[in-house]
Amino acid sequence: IDTISDERIQTYLKPEKRKCLFPDEKSLQLHTRYSQSACLFECGILWTKSFSKLDCLPWYFPPLGEAKSSAICDPWDTQIFMEALRKAPRSECTDCLSDCQTTSFTLSASSAPFRPCTDLNKGLSNLCKYSSGISPAMSSEQILQEYSHLEEIPKYIKKF
């Protein structure tokens, strides 16, 4: 989904009226271009730092706010900081307007079980090329016989 506002709207309407910001319209401390997610991230860090009363930041966060140098949290304080960051209310970040230009993606994944290798598909797929050094290649029956001494044959073997 693409959301694109004509850049001419920038001169006619103030951000509060159009309820969105262009990438060059607001300065952020950690990011060079504005996006709502970057703004919410920075706002969340500042809120968490004041809410948690910790005078440190996790080692993987750059210094933010008035104090450009900050102590590094130990692992226990990092855990407290991250729990507080996850609970940071978006309602505290009223300056983080939507993006006037954005692209969002929807992902999906699917899968299917592998076909067992037989004489019918041998060599058609890289999964059925018997170049593992076993010569000749083992058939499904041979594989099952190889594991027949076990009380219970694993499910991934039974499928052969």
Side-chain angles (χ1 to χ4, degrees):
I1 301 171
D2 286 334
T3 302
I4 300 173
S5 299
D6 190 331
E7 290 183 12
R8 291 177 292 183
I9 200 172
Q10 201 169 355
T11 56
Y12 299 117
L13 292 174
K14 293 187 186 278
E16 298 79 30
K17 193 80 165 162
R18 62 180 131 93
K19 296 185 179 3
C20 68
L21 286 168
F22 284 91
D24 60 346
E25 239 176 341
K26 181 178 177 168
S27 296
L28 298 173
Q29 294 180 45
L30 299 178
H31 300 85
T32 55
R33 298 176 59 78
Y34 176 84
S35 71
Q36 186 179 33
S37 60
C39 183
L40 289 169
F41 177 67
E42 290 186 17
C43 176
I45 290 174
L46 290 171
W47 181 87
T48 301
K49 199 166 179 199
S50 63
F51 172 77
S52 66
K53 306 277 192 278
L54 292 171
D55 195 29
C56 62
L57 282 172
W59 64 270
Y60 42 85
F61 286 162
L64 186 64
E66 297 88 41
K68 280 295 184 181
S69 63
S70 203
I72 295 174
C73 295
D74 62 34
W76 298 272
D77 285 343
T78 296
Q79 186 177 5
I80 293 167
F81 188 93
M82 293 308 293
E83 286 173 16
L85 182 59
R86 278 189 279 281
K87 295 176 183 174
R90 285 183 146 205
S91 60
E92 293 292 318
C93 305
T94 55
D95 292 344
C96 297
L97 298 177
S98 297
D99 300 322
C100 290
Q101 297 176 334
T102 189
T103 301
S104 60
F105 300 93
T106 303
L107 301 175
S108 66
S110 63
S111 66
F114 288 120
R115 287 190 320 203
C117 296
T118 65
D119 286 336
L120 299 174
N121 62 2
K122 184 169 56 175
L124 295 177
S125 160
N126 285 334
L127 298 173
C128 294
K129 287 186 179 176
Y130 298 114
S131 59
S132 64
I134 299 174
S135 181
M138 294 176 84
S139 70
S140 299
E141 292 81 22
Q142 288 172 315
I143 292 171
L144 288 172
Q145 283 177 348
E146 188 72 27
Y147 288 90
S148 63
H149 68 281
L150 299 173
E151 277 187 40
E152 188 176 337
I153 298 174
K155 288 181 185 177
Y156 63 90
I157 300 292
K158 282 183 187 177
K159 290 184 180 179
F160 277 100

